[in-house]
Amino acid sequence: MTAKAACSDFLHFFRSWVSNPLRVAAIAPSGDSLARIMTSEIAALDGPIIELGPGTGVFTRALLARGVSEADLTLIEYGPEFISSLQARFPTARVLQMDAAHLADADIFEGEPVGAVVSGLPLLSMSPRKIVSILAGAFAYMRPGGAVYQFT
Ligand SMILES: C[S@@+](CC[C@H](N)C(=O)[O-])C[C@H]1O[C@@H](n2cnc3c(N)ncnc32)[C@H](O)[C@@H]1O
């Protein structure tokens, strides 16, 4: 990513945080080092993969760098302000604008269960009830041996 693109992502993210600090919960997107650590155990064969709260797509890019196919990615983002740029950047990924707490009801996967869930969600600013709904939804789609990756 060029310095200009990184700066534009920072401004986009910062404005989102100003308008919704509890949901966005960070003033800037995660850095590339964290993205590499978050995705370091994931390989192409783990697809399909769910990413929760992709924001500007830092972890999404790291997943692609790990060899995961873009078509194997489902990006669940609640913030409407991030949706069009995610769709433009990752045109063959599935981008769903929804609250991750409704994952289980949404019935988003019919076929193969997912091998990994990567989450940048601000769980610490959510109620215990909401956290349980999100995790129950994530595990409901997971295959045996799959994993959830969360940073906070
Ligand atoms: C701390 S930011 C992390 C963004 C990105 N993963 C990163 O690390 O740069 C949290 C992201 O989760 C999204 N988010 C917050 N609550 C959500 C929810 N209930 N469902 C889906 N996305 C949510 C926010 O809009 C934001 O994009």
Side-chain angles (χ1 to χ4, degrees):
M1 169 176 264
T2 63
K4 192 174 166 198
C7 188
S8 146
D9 272 8
F10 168 75
L11 287 175
H12 184 183
F13 203 96
F14 184 72
R15 279 194 211 105
S16 303
W17 173 74
V18 169
S19 59
N20 202 328
L22 273 184
R23 171 172 53 80
V24 178
I27 60 165
S30 296
D32 290 338
S33 307
L34 174 60
R36 271 196 300 276
I37 294 168
M38 282 286 284
T39 56
S40 61
E41 293 183 357
I42 299 175
L45 288 179
D46 290 324
I49 288 171
I50 298 176
E51 184 181 349
L52 304 177
T56 52
V58 178
F59 297 163
T60 321
R61 282 200 305 276
L63 286 166
L64 298 179
R66 297 282 309 158
V68 173
S69 158
E70 195 175 300
D72 269 346
L73 293 175
T74 294
L75 312 178
I76 309 283
E77 173 55 62
Y78 202 16
E81 72 279 17
F82 292 122
I83 298 297
S84 54
S85 64
L86 288 169
Q87 286 168 332
R89 282 177 182 179
F90 312 108
T92 56
R94 182 160 58 144
V95 180
L96 302 177
Q97 192 209 336
M98 62 177 279
D99 184 342
H102 299 146
L103 260 182
D105 314 328
D107 212 8
I108 57 171
F109 280 99
E110 284 178 356
E112 209 186 339
V114 307
V117 175
V118 176
S119 168
L121 294 177
L123 295 187
L124 291 184
S125 47
M126 295 177 179
S127 68
R129 189 189 182 94
K130 184 157 183 160
I131 295 171
V132 168
S133 300
I134 291 171
L135 293 179
F139 280 102
Y141 292 110
M142 188 115 47
R143 63 182 176 236
V148 172
Y149 298 88
Q150 168 75 47
F151 83 101
T152 196

